[in-house]
Amino acid sequence: MERMKFGCILAAAAIASILCLSRAAFGAAAEDSSLQGRIEQLEKQVADLKKEAATTPAPGPAPAAPAEPPAKKNVWSNLDIQMYGYVKGDASYDTSRTNPGNFVLWVDSEATRSNDDEFNLTANQTRLGFNIAGPASETMKASGKIEFDLFGNYASENKAKLQMRHAYMTLLWPQTDLSLIVGQTWDVISPLNPNTLNYSVLWDVGNVGYRRPQIRLTKGLPLNDKVSLKLEGAIVRTIGRTDPTNSETGEDEGFPTLQGRVSVAFPFIGPKPTVLGLSGHNGREQYDLDNTGRNADFDSQGIFLDVFMPVTKWLTLQAELFSGENLDTYFGGIGQGVNTTTLHEISSKGGWLAASLGPWSKWAFNVGAGVDDVDADDVAVGARTLNSCVFANTIYSWNKHVQAGFELSRWNTDYRGPGDADDTRMQMSFIYNF
């Protein structure tokens, strides 16, 4: 448009010059009124074009292209984070009172209340977790895990709180098969769990081991093409008890608990390697008797054997045995670790065996049994001395996300003195995996 205006001005100026020259050359013709009028009209158009050009700004540089929008940041992280978990609803009926109720650890004494049945309905086993991967270099890979369920302390059943299950980081050096774990996760000792719908997976009835803060080092050692050895060692937080001075006895000792495990994987009779492991731990609590400085030391120690054996594609066997003392925070001793009256550790022994069958089409089955046998001389009258359970369950998968299961279990708990108790539990579970 600007170029057209300037072209018109130049054209008009050229025409005016030609007319002026014509006027000078032909003076007689210029007197003609018609010609004079046309000349005046053209001169006026030239003047108007000059005026318009003077008021129009000179063309400037072309406007700059719009800047690129800033790159959006990942809402989660610059690492690979995958969320997982499930929603689980459990309905259960027990023929006797159990502890704690939503799941079973043992049967309450029937010395005063015999066959006092109960019904429970809960969603507290619902679980949420995050797997975190990266960063990775040529020599090291980093990862982490955070996982919760809803069995934290709560004021009432419909006000459950989060409970931290796992929160740890892993550094792995693949070339040397060496890894370091820092945070909270499963104990090194006694690493297996049976497949039960009951949340407590036979805790306090033969299955020991739990989760606690730790620093763990693991080293793999291949012995040949088919046999491999694994060495695991950890320093872990000693979970103790409150003493008369209101101190926590584990931290008051001033030294962590030590755990270790050696395992070997080798071909046996099944399609996958059989794993045989031997583990142990040693820790100590400092129990202050009063504010004068008098105290008693409580040892916590144990030895554990674990076996994982895939027999066929549809049958897998698992088993663990244990023997030790002061194992209450490891779910041994039927929840009893120390007799604070005699100031003596409580000894116990036991184990469990379970078989997983299937899946066949959409069905899977699990059966098993466990027992925890406490030294009756170590506990007071009224305390638990023997706890046993036999269970069987079936789980049906509607699809890869939705499952329903039914479990039947029989529980027996003996006490020092009167009060032995038994319970039959029927549990229905619905699970939505994501």
Side-chain angles (χ1 to χ4, degrees):
M1 180 65 70
E2 301 298 333
R3 291 179 179 178
M4 292 178 63
K5 289 182 179 180
F6 283 104
C8 292
I9 294 172
L10 292 175
I15 293 172
S17 299
I18 293 172
L19 291 174
C20 290
L21 291 173
S22 299
R23 184 176 181 182
F26 305 97
E31 297 297 333
D32 184 83
S33 60
S34 177
L35 183 59
Q36 180 66 29
R38 292 175 63 188
I39 292 173
E40 290 177 353
Q41 185 178 4
L42 288 172
E43 289 177 342
K44 183 177 182 301
Q45 291 178 354
V46 170
D48 290 342
L49 288 171
K50 289 181 177 181
K51 182 179 180 181
E52 184 178 353
T55 58
T56 302
E68 291 291 333
K72 292 183 179 180
K73 293 184 178 180
N74 194 313
V75 175
W76 292 90
S77 169
N78 59 353
L79 302 176
D80 179 14
I81 299 179
Q82 295 182 341
M83 184 175 70
Y84 68 91
Y86 56 76
V87 179
K88 185 169 185 274
D90 296 304
S92 60
Y93 171 77
D94 291 274
T95 59
S96 294
R97 300 289 297 181
T98 63
N99 184 287
N102 280 333
F103 56 90
V104 183
L105 294 174
W106 60 78
V107 189
D108 288 345
S109 172
E110 295 187 0
T112 56
R113 293 188 299 180
S114 177
N115 298 324
D116 187 9
D117 63 348
E118 63 181 13
F119 176 81
N120 289 282
L121 184 62
T122 184
N124 287 357
Q125 196 176 333
T126 294
R127 187 173 299 174
L128 176 63
F130 301 91
N131 285 323
I132 309 166
S137 66
E138 295 182 356
T139 58
M140 186 187 75
K141 295 181 179 180
S143 61
K145 180 188 284 287
I146 301 173
E147 185 179 287
F148 304 92
D149 65 25
L150 300 176
F151 271 116
N153 294 327
Y154 52 88
S156 60
E157 179 57 38
N158 62 344
K159 296 180 180 179
K161 294 182 180 180
L162 288 177
Q163 170 183 258
M164 182 178 72
R165 292 171 54 84
H166 300 278
Y168 65 88
M169 60 173 285
T170 301
L171 302 179
L172 172 65
W173 292 268
Q175 296 178 355
T176 57
D177 198 3
L178 179 69
S179 67
L180 174 69
I181 291 178
V182 181
Q184 174 166 304
T185 189
W186 292 110
D187 285 320
V188 170
I189 63 172
S190 194
L192 304 179
N193 288 314
N195 295 317
T196 66
L197 294 177
N198 183 32
Y199 174 73
S200 59
V201 292
L202 297 184
W203 289 329
D204 281 326
V205 66
N207 183 23
V208 295
Y210 195 54
R211 303 176 296 268
R212 68 198 73 231
Q214 61 188 269
I215 301 174
R216 179 194 300 192
L217 196 63
T218 302
K219 172 64 178 175
L221 296 170
L223 301 182
N224 55 45
D225 293 340
K226 296 183 178 181
V227 181
S228 62
L229 192 70
K230 181 186 290 186
L231 304 176
E232 300 171 271
I235 57 173
V236 305
R237 172 69 179 261
T238 303
I239 308 298
R241 66 205 74 247
T242 302
D243 62 27
T245 68
N246 205 34
S247 297
E248 206 278 347
T249 60
E251 66 180 37
D252 200 23
E253 172 58 29
F255 195 80
T257 293
L258 302 179
Q259 295 186 2
R261 179 174 178 263
V262 56
S263 61
V264 58
F266 56 93
F268 191 45
I269 60 174
K272 296 181 180 180
T274 292
V275 180
L276 179 64
L278 181 66
S279 56
H281 85 283
N282 187 274
R284 177 172 291 185
E285 304 173 47
Q286 180 174 298
Y287 188 86
D288 292 334
L289 301 174
D290 51 42
N291 289 316
T292 65
R294 295 190 309 120
N295 60 70
D297 290 332
F298 298 144
D299 292 324
S300 176
Q301 54 193 7
I303 186 169
F304 314 89
L305 176 69
D306 60 89
V307 180
F308 177 83
M309 183 186 300
V311 180
T312 68
K313 291 182 178 180
W314 52 267
L315 175 61
T316 299
L317 299 178
Q318 297 184 90
E320 290 185 333
L321 297 173
F322 79 92
S323 178
E325 59 182 8
N326 190 9
L327 299 177
D328 55 334
T329 64
Y330 296 87
F331 283 105
I334 325 179
Q336 303 161 122
V338 172
N339 186 330
T340 55
T341 300
T342 63
L343 300 180
H344 192 277
E345 298 89 353
I346 296 173
S347 299
S348 61
K349 58 183 180 296
W352 61 274
L353 171 67
S356 297
L357 300 93
W360 290 295
S361 183
K362 296 184 177 183
W363 294 91
F365 303 88
N366 299 278
V367 296
V371 62
D372 191 333
D373 184 9
V374 172
D375 189 340
D377 294 333
D378 292 342
V379 299
V381 174
R384 298 173 292 276
T385 59
L386 184 71
N387 198 28
S388 64
C389 171
V390 178
F391 76 90
N393 65 50
T394 180
I395 301 173
Y396 177 79
S397 298
W398 274 304
N399 54 47
K400 66 179 181 179
H401 294 290
V402 182
Q403 296 176 314
F406 177 78
E407 183 169 277
L408 181 66
S409 57
R410 178 68 177 178
W411 298 76
N412 292 275
T413 306
D414 293 347
Y415 290 80
R416 184 175 182 181
D420 294 351
D422 56 71
D423 168 58
T424 299
R425 180 180 179 88
M426 291 170 282
Q427 178 173 333
M428 177 68 74
S429 301
F430 295 89
I431 308 167
Y432 177 70
N433 298 284
F434 59 86

